[in-house]
Amino acid sequence: MAAGTKVFSVTDFKEGLDVRKSPLTAPGGSLRILENAVLNNGGEIEKRLAFVLQTTMPPDYTYLFGQGDSLHAFGVNTSAVIPQGTLPVPIVAHNLQAAPEQITQLLDVEAYADKFFVCGLGASGTTYCWYNDVLVLEVDSSYSHGTYARTWKSKMYRVDGQYLRFSGTNNPAQNDPASVDEPGAGFINIALNDPDGENLQGMEVFYSNMAVMSRLQTQMWTLDPDPTQDTMGQLLRIGTVAPRSLVQFGTGDVLFLSDSGVRSLKALYINLAASVNDVGSAIDNLLIDAIRANPSGMTSVDAIVQPIQGRYWLSVGDTIYVLSYFPAGNITAWSTFNTGFTTRHFALVQNMVFCDDTDGNVYLYGGVTRDEYDSCQVTVRTPHMNADDPTENKRIKSVDVMCQGQWSISIGMLPNNTEAFELCATVQDNTYGLMSIPFAGYGTHFGVHMVNQAPGPAIMGALHFNIQEGVVK
């Protein structure tokens, strides 16, 4: 190659979406935009599958849940019929007993054997609980309350303000501490250990403990069928803003959405503090903005672990944040899905991911074949890179691309306007066997904006720039 020229290559995108730094200082391999795509275990960008409409639930059914081999839909005091549509699994309707007031939102559903425990919110702000579709009562015949429930060691646990309440063994509706046949019912006042525990949000199993979370703290509890054996261990000064964001992930970890972004309970438990290298730090700024924009809507946030590739999905408003985590490839990469609808719940049945939207439409990710694509727009943008020399002017003579599918490639070389890009070419598959794509850009930094909007799969694997070096400013 002639003197004064070099090839600068981006051969993987394993850092994924990372908005911690400015477009001019972000690390190599990271991306400013990664929409409607994921990172595969080789560090390449792959287009997401399609969300294929299967059926539409009547408005009376407001909660979709997956358990066993079926989908389950929950409504209050309804006899409406749910059409099967093209669903590949049965959908079972659950008609919850009418409450003393209108139920404005079903907050949580938890399975217990082949039945379900449900928490709901009334118009007055009072919460109610159902088990096997019937309202749960306390010993004095008053209604039971709770916002989030979790099955653990033959009992049903639920959070209710500052109280962690639990049923008797083998019966989630048993609330009598004096029961001989189903013993173990009672409650713990979590706020007695720390006042930040006054408004509990949710809980999740963490190894042999239960992590009980308010917004500002997490208490680690060892819970036993015999409540006299319940003990509190560690207290962590961080909690969750979204109860249904709590998901067991990988080998023993728990991910959740806090005020500072997605956090890993394992990292917090070991290090006693949230670290800048925590799993969600790359997109903290995006999630903090989303929380501020919708402070009262965090009960609608939902999360799931996609079972085949093990990706963590977190829905906030009309965006799904996706974590691709492949330790063998040193990949911890975020991306986003813009589905065109607002996700209400995820529902997992076998290896299929379903979701419903705020209009009751039920979708299956990848369709019945789990390999179906659509024409959603995949958008990828790199930071403005400097080819290892930020003060030197460079002339890009040509570009080569390793990709599959049709991509439009635009390049920007204005460090004072990182939103300005000029169309370079539209390519179909890789350019290695063809002439390189000519380009006449000049500047200290260069960014690439790539778009795919064609039916079928697509991959973006690598970029190569033939650069003629200039002089130091």
Side-chain angles (χ1 to χ4, degrees):
M1 184 175 291
T5 63
K6 68 177 181 180
V7 174
F8 178 79
S9 299
V10 180
T11 56
D12 65 58
F13 304 92
K14 63 174 57 177
E15 300 297 326
L17 186 61
D18 190 339
V19 296
R20 285 174 287 189
K21 292 189 174 184
S22 75
L24 297 174
T25 58
S30 69
L31 296 165
R32 306 302 295 177
I33 300 173
L34 181 52
E35 185 175 276
N36 288 328
V38 295
L39 265 289
N40 64 23
N41 55 14
E44 297 177 327
I45 297 168
E46 285 188 0
K47 179 181 176 180
R48 68 160 172 83
L49 299 174
F51 288 86
V52 182
L53 180 64
Q54 303 293 299
T55 191
T56 300
M57 298 186 296
D60 290 347
Y61 294 95
T62 58
Y63 204 113
L64 187 70
F65 190 80
Q67 178 67 13
D69 296 330
S70 303
L71 286 169
H72 298 264
F74 295 83
V76 179
N77 194 27
T78 178
S79 58
V81 176
I82 304 175
Q84 181 69 27
T86 56
L87 284 167
V89 298
I91 185 165
V92 181
H94 294 265
N95 177 18
L96 303 178
Q97 179 184 352
E101 60 177 317
Q102 180 186 2
I103 299 299
T104 59
Q105 183 182 3
L106 294 181
L107 299 171
D108 188 45
V109 172
E110 175 73 347
Y112 189 96
D114 59 348
K115 300 179 176 63
F116 299 90
F117 194 93
V118 182
C119 300
L121 179 66
S124 68
T126 300
T127 58
Y128 300 88
C129 299
W130 295 259
Y131 176 61
N132 197 24
D133 301 343
V134 177
L135 284 164
V136 179
L137 302 178
E138 297 296 319
V139 178
D140 62 359
S141 298
S142 64
Y143 293 105
S144 295
H145 306 296
T147 58
Y148 188 91
R150 187 69 169 85
T151 302
W152 181 239
K153 294 184 177 179
S154 76
K155 295 164 66 171
M156 183 64 67
Y157 292 82
R158 53 190 162 95
V159 297
D160 173 23
Q162 67 196 54
Y163 297 103
L164 174 63
R165 302 188 186 275
F166 39 86
S167 71
T169 55
N170 303 318
N171 184 359
Q174 178 59 266
N175 290 314
D176 185 359
S179 173
V180 175
D181 296 329
E182 298 162 336
F187 66 89
I188 300 170
N189 187 344
I190 296 293
L192 292 179
N193 298 299
D194 191 280
D196 283 337
E198 289 183 352
N199 188 14
L200 298 177
Q201 298 292 310
M203 66 192 118
E204 184 53 270
V205 176
F206 181 66
Y207 295 103
S208 60
N209 295 327
M210 183 71 75
V212 183
M213 293 188 176
S214 67
R215 183 160 187 164
L216 298 177
Q217 70 166 224
T218 298
Q219 294 185 19
M220 294 293 185
W221 279 84
T222 300
L223 300 174
D224 191 89
D226 178 359
T228 64
Q229 302 300 312
D230 293 344
T231 58
M232 194 197 86
Q234 190 173 358
L235 186 148
L236 301 173
R237 194 59 67 184
I238 192 170
T240 185
V241 297
R244 291 191 285 119
S245 69
L246 277 72
V247 172
Q248 290 183 330
F249 181 76
T251 55
D253 203 355
V254 172
L255 300 186
F256 60 95
L257 180 63
S258 73
D259 278 293
S260 59
V262 174
R263 288 291 169 263
S264 156
L265 190 56
K266 191 173 184 178
L268 293 164
Y269 188 74
I270 293 172
N271 299 317
L272 304 182
S275 147
V276 293
N277 294 318
D278 203 351
V279 66
S281 57
I283 59 167
D284 281 350
N285 292 339
L286 298 178
L287 287 171
I288 289 170
D289 288 344
I291 293 169
R292 288 173 178 168
N294 193 23
S296 62
M298 291 298 103
T299 57
S300 62
V301 170
D302 204 7
I304 200 170
V305 175
Q306 196 267 350
I308 297 177
Q309 290 85 20
R311 294 186 174 97
Y312 174 73
W313 290 14
L314 174 73
S315 68
V316 182
D318 59 358
T319 302
I320 300 175
Y321 298 85
V322 180
L323 173 64
S324 299
Y325 179 64
F326 304 109
N330 196 28
I331 295 171
T332 303
W334 288 94
S335 58
T336 61
F337 292 172
N338 183 2
T339 58
F341 57 81
T342 298
T343 302
R344 191 164 58 179
H345 308 97
F346 294 120
L348 182 63
V349 179
Q350 299 169 352
N351 67 346
M352 294 174 283
V353 175
F354 297 87
C355 64
D356 67 333
D357 65 15
T358 50
D359 293 322
N361 297 311
V362 179
Y363 304 87
L364 173 57
Y365 184 65
V368 175
T369 64
R370 263 84 83 202
D371 194 33
E372 188 171 335
Y373 292 85
D374 57 15
S375 298
C376 68
Q377 179 172 301
V378 180
T379 305
V380 182
R381 181 182 295 181
T382 71
H384 274 55
M385 301 167 285
N386 57 49
D388 302 320
D389 199 335
T391 64
E392 184 180 60
N393 284 307
K394 310 160 189 75
R395 185 182 302 279
I396 295 180
K397 298 174 62 178
S398 61
V399 182
D400 272 293
V401 181
M402 201 306 288
C403 65
Q404 294 179 21
Q406 186 181 88
W407 292 83
S408 66
I409 312 296
S410 300
I411 298 178
M413 299 195 70
L414 299 175
N416 295 327
N417 186 359
T418 57
E419 296 295 320
F421 291 86
E422 178 183 347
L423 180 63
C424 175
T426 298
V427 300
Q428 179 74 40
D429 302 321
N430 75 80
T431 63
Y432 290 162
L434 308 172
M435 296 294 291
S436 296
I437 304 167
F439 189 74
Y442 186 76
T444 59
H445 294 69
F446 52 95
V448 186
H449 184 90
M450 298 164 279
V451 173
N452 168 276
Q453 195 171 16
I459 292 177
M460 176 57 64
L463 300 167
H464 306 279
F465 303 89
N466 186 359
I467 296 174
Q468 183 176 12
E469 297 170 301
V471 295
V472 175
K473 295 197 301 179

